[in-house]
């Protein structure tokens, strides 16, 4: 069991340490906080990409708009009710 945990931990560390594809060409946004790492990669003109990062206690939300597409990633710990409230706020309800 300890060997399995060690192997999975090493695998996770390797994934976090690797640079994501496209990270150097402006197509990728990487945000790391106490809850983990978020990676968003989109095609389109990097100069026209809009990136918004919102930090709240216990949660980080990354919004990236590029070429008519939108990606939203939220990382953190929250209850299901907190997530519903956040989604309603995001949609303007």
């Amino acid at each position: 069991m300890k060997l399995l945990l060690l192997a999975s931990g090493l695998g996770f560390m390797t994934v976090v340490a690797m640079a994501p594809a496209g990270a150097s060409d402006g197509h990728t946004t990487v945000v790391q906080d106490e809850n983990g790492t978020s990676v968003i990669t989109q095609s389109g003109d990097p100069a026209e990409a809009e990136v918004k990062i919102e930090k709240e206690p216990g949660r980080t939300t990354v919004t990236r708009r590029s070429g008519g597409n939108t990606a939203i990633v939220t990382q953190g710990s929250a209850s299901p009710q907190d997530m519903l409230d956040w989604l309603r706020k995001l949609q303007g309800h």
Side-chain angles (χ1 to χ4, degrees), residues 12-86:
F12 177 73
M13 288 174 40
T14 303
V15 170
V16 170
M18 293 173 45
S24 63
D25 63 5
H27 290 102
T28 301
T29 300
V30 179
V31 175
Q32 185 170 9
D33 70 2
E34 66 276 359
N35 296 307
T37 303
S38 295
V39 180
I40 301 173
T41 302
Q42 290 178 311
S43 60
D45 184 3
E48 294 183 14
E50 176 188 334
V51 178
K52 181 179 174 184
I53 300 171
E54 297 178 27
K55 291 187 148 268
E56 299 174 17
R59 177 176 36 226
T60 301
T61 301
V62 182
T63 305
R64 181 180 168 106
R65 291 183 174 88
S66 178
N69 296 312
T70 302
I72 301 172
V73 176
T74 298
Q75 58 193 41
S77 57
S79 70
Q81 185 61 48
D82 288 342
M83 291 303 294
L84 286 173
D85 293 342
W86 173 80

